[in-house]
Amino acid sequence: MENQKRRSETAPDASAKANDDDEWVSTDDAIEGALGLDDDPSKLNSDNWFEPTAPLMEASTYHSETTQLQQDTEEVVIESYNEHPSMEFLYERHVQYVSLCLTRPMPSAYTMLDANHSWMVYWLVNSFHVIKHRDSELSKELAPDDDVIANATEAWINDDGKGGIGGGVGQIGHMASTYAGVLSLVLTRRFDILERIRTGLYEWVMSLKNPNGSFKMHHNGEADTRSTYCALVVATLLNIVTDEFLVGVEAWLDQCQTFEGGFAGVPGTEAHGGYTYCALASYFLLHKEPTFKGLDVPNLTRWLVSRQFQLEGGLSGRTNKLVDACYSFWVGAAIPLIEIATKTEQLFNRYALKSYLLRVAQNSRGGFKDKPGKSVDFYHTNYSLMGLSMCEYLTKLKTDDANELMAFRFHHEPLADDVHTEATNPVFGLPEVFVSDCRGHFQQLDGH
C-alpha cells in the first residue's frame, strides 16, 4: 500500500465526518485491512490487543522529509502489530541478553562508547533488576556479579570522589558518569564505597555549581537541566544536600520551561522529553508536597500527554518527532509525576504504550529497540523496561511522612495480577527497593 494513499484513506477531512457518516465510519478500513482485522474481527475483543486508529487531526497537505518519515514509521509499526499480535514478555531472552552483554567482550563498534562504561553498566544491571524474576534458578545463574560491578565502578572514581566519577579508567569526572556510577553502586548495595567518597563528591559537585543555580557537567563543560538533575540525584541519594547546594536551583529550572509547556535544556530553547523529565523529577527532589510556584502545570500536562501517538501507542520526545521506545521512560515516567501534581489518574493510555513496547519494540532475541528497523541496544532496553514498569503500576504519593521529600514517598499499585517488572521509582530510575535501602542506610548513618 502506498504511503500517501493510506494516509488519505485513514485521515479524511472534517467535512467528510460532518456530511457522510458512512464514509467516516469506514475511515479505519485501510488500517484494519493492513492488520488483518477484517479477516479476524475477534482480535478487537482480545485482552491482548491494541487497535491502532487514524490520528484525530486532519492530515497535513504539506509534504516534507518530516511528514514522509512519519508516514513511513506508521507503515512499519502497523506491519509490526500485524506480525506480533501477542503481548508475551520474553523473560528468558531478556535475562540472557543482559547477562551476555555484561560478560562477553564487546564488538569493535563499541569503541565509540569508551567514555560510557559507567552508563553501560548501569543500563544493563538496572535492566536485570527491573525485570520481575519468577524463575529463581535462571535469575541466580545469570545474575550480575555485584563484586565485579563494584570493583569496575570503583576504578572510575577520581581522587576518592574529589574528581568525580569518569566514564572509564583515567577519564575526567563527568556529572552524567557520576550519576550512572552512583546508581550502579546503589544497585550493588556497596554503600561502603559511597560512604567513603561522598564528602569528596560533595566538594566536586559544588565546584561545578554556577551562580545562576545550575550545575556544569564537568569543568569548563555545559550546564543544563540534565546536569542539574544528575547533581540533585547524587546529592540526595548520598544525603549530602545543603542549603548552599540548593541556592538558585529551582529558580533556574523555572526559566527552562518553554511556551510549549515542556522543558528545554537551557532557557529559550526547544522543549524536549529528556530535559522535561530531568526538570520535573528535580522538583520532586526539591519539594515535600506538589506545590510548585514557578511551574506552569496545566501547560506541562498538555505537552506531556500530546507526546503519545494514537496510531503507534508509543511516545515521542518532541513536537513533530517520531515515536521512540526510550521515551517510554523519559516521558512515560514524567506523566505519573504530573498525575501526582494534578491529583489525576491515568493521564495517558498505559495499555497502548505497553502494547507498543511488547509488540513493536521488544526484540525476539532479547532486549528492546527504538522502533522497527532499528537495532536492539543497552540504552533502549533499560528505558523500555522502566517504561513498561510505568505502564504496569499506578504511582501515588504516600501521606504518612510529610517531612520526607516526594521522591522517597511513592506507593506503586499494580494494574494487573501478572506484571513483568518491579515497581520502579520514576525520579531515580531504579527499582523502588534499592532507593529505599539507600535512603535508609544514609539516614541511619547520619542520624536523621
Side-chain angles (χ1 to χ4, degrees):
M1 184 185 297
E2 295 178 0
N3 291 334
Q4 189 53 44
K5 178 181 177 183
R6 190 192 66 76
R7 188 67 164 179
S8 63
E9 288 177 339
T10 58
D13 61 27
S15 61
K17 181 178 186 295
N19 300 326
D20 191 339
D21 289 340
D22 291 339
E23 181 180 347
W24 182 255
V25 168
S26 65
T27 56
D28 288 338
D29 287 351
I31 291 177
E32 292 186 8
L35 290 167
L37 299 184
D38 48 352
D39 298 325
D40 186 7
S42 65
K43 287 180 179 179
L44 294 177
N45 298 320
S46 170
D47 290 337
N48 294 332
W49 189 257
F50 161 65
E51 179 191 0
T53 56
L56 295 174
M57 293 180 64
E58 179 181 353
S60 173
T61 57
Y62 175 78
H63 301 293
S64 65
E65 182 179 355
T66 299
T67 59
Q68 186 63 51
L69 284 172
Q70 176 60 33
Q71 292 174 28
D72 292 344
T73 300
E74 290 176 5
E75 290 291 337
V76 296
V77 167
I78 283 179
E79 291 173 6
S80 187
Y81 274 125
N82 188 37
E83 293 169 0
H84 303 95
S86 171
M87 292 276 280
E88 180 185 5
F89 179 75
L90 305 177
Y91 168 76
E92 289 187 4
R93 295 179 188 178
H94 295 315
V95 174
Q96 290 166 351
Y97 169 78
V98 169
S99 177
L100 282 172
C101 292
L102 273 171
T103 56
R104 69 182 178 185
M106 291 184 181
S108 59
Y110 280 80
T111 56
M112 68 178 66
L113 295 176
D114 185 58
N116 291 277
H117 287 263
S118 57
W119 275 110
M120 290 188 285
V121 167
Y122 161 65
W123 292 332
L124 290 169
V125 176
N126 195 56
S127 293
F128 181 88
H129 289 295
V130 170
I131 296 171
K132 192 173 187 67
H133 295 281
R134 296 184 180 85
D135 187 334
S136 59
E137 292 304 315
L138 183 66
S139 63
K140 289 178 181 178
E141 177 186 349
L142 299 181
D145 188 320
D146 287 349
D147 289 336
V148 170
I149 293 162
N151 291 339
T153 305
E154 194 170 18
W156 307 326
I157 298 170
N158 296 310
D159 193 16
D160 269 351
K162 294 179 181 178
I165 301 176
V169 176
Q171 298 186 24
I172 67 167
H174 191 282
M175 193 71 77
S177 299
T178 301
Y179 162 88
V182 167
L183 294 188
S184 295
L185 290 172
V186 171
L187 286 166
T188 61
R189 293 186 172 92
R190 286 301 301 272
F191 302 130
D192 57 322
I193 298 175
L194 292 172
E195 282 180 34
R196 192 184 78 237
I197 67 173
R198 66 175 183 154
T199 300
L201 279 180
Y202 179 81
E203 294 178 12
W204 178 75
V205 170
M206 288 302 297
S207 73
L208 298 174
K209 185 174 173 63
N210 289 320
N212 64 9
S214 66
F215 291 84
K216 293 190 284 286
M217 276 293 189
H218 55 86
H219 290 294
N220 300 315
E222 76 276 20
D224 51 32
T225 46
R226 245 180 347 149
S227 53
T228 301
Y229 160 76
C230 289
L232 277 168
V233 166
V234 169
T236 305
L237 281 174
L238 302 185
N239 207 30
I240 53 176
V241 175
T242 62
D243 291 340
E244 181 185 11
F245 180 96
L246 295 175
V247 171
V249 174
E250 185 171 4
W252 183 80
L253 288 170
D254 290 342
Q255 297 176 49
C256 294
Q257 188 171 19
T258 76
F259 72 94
E260 287 186 90
F263 281 77
V266 295
T269 54
E270 182 185 13
H272 183 283
Y275 292 132
T276 298
Y277 166 79
C278 289
L280 183 56
S282 294
Y283 286 98
F284 278 71
L285 291 163
L286 295 169
H287 286 273
K288 297 176 181 178
E289 294 296 333
T291 52
F292 315 120
K293 295 180 180 179
L295 177 60
D296 185 344
V297 173
N299 205 20
L300 174 57
T301 304
R302 181 200 59 79
W303 187 85
L304 283 171
V305 299
S306 296
R307 302 278 62 76
Q308 187 164 35
F309 287 94
Q310 184 178 347
L311 187 145
E312 296 93 317
L315 304 169
S316 73
R318 287 183 284 168
T319 303
N320 287 332
K321 291 296 183 179
L322 303 175
V323 65
D324 185 333
C326 73
Y327 292 109
S328 302
F329 179 74
W330 298 126
V331 175
I335 294 179
L337 299 180
I338 210 67
E339 288 176 341
I340 289 172
T342 59
K343 298 181 180 179
T344 308
E345 292 184 5
Q346 304 282 22
L347 281 174
F348 74 119
N349 188 333
R350 283 170 165 82
Y351 187 81
L353 177 57
K354 184 175 182 177
S355 185
Y356 179 82
L357 289 169
L358 294 181
R359 296 171 59 195
V360 179
Q362 182 174 223
N363 188 280
S364 60
R365 294 185 176 183
F368 288 77
K369 54 185 178 289
D370 165 358
K371 61 177 69 67
K374 300 291 186 177
S375 299
V376 64
D377 61 68
F378 310 163
Y379 170 84
H380 284 93
T381 296
N382 179 53
Y383 294 110
S384 292
L385 285 166
M386 288 201 291
L388 183 60
S389 182
M390 298 302 116
C391 299
E392 294 189 326
Y393 295 87
L394 193 62
T395 300
K396 297 184 178 181
L397 198 65
K398 296 178 184 177
T399 59
D400 57 353
D401 190 359
N403 291 320
E404 180 62 284
L405 292 170
M406 288 189 292
F408 295 108
R409 289 168 48 205
F410 295 126
H411 169 65
H412 308 277
E413 299 177 359
L415 293 171
D417 294 333
D418 182 27
V419 294
H420 309 300
T421 59
E422 298 289 349
T424 301
N425 187 297
V427 168
F428 294 104
L430 295 169
E432 193 68 66
V433 63
F434 291 97
V435 175
S436 178
D437 288 352
C438 183
R439 184 60 165 175
H441 176 88
F442 284 104
Q443 282 190 325
Q444 182 177 14
L445 181 69
D446 298 329
H448 64 278

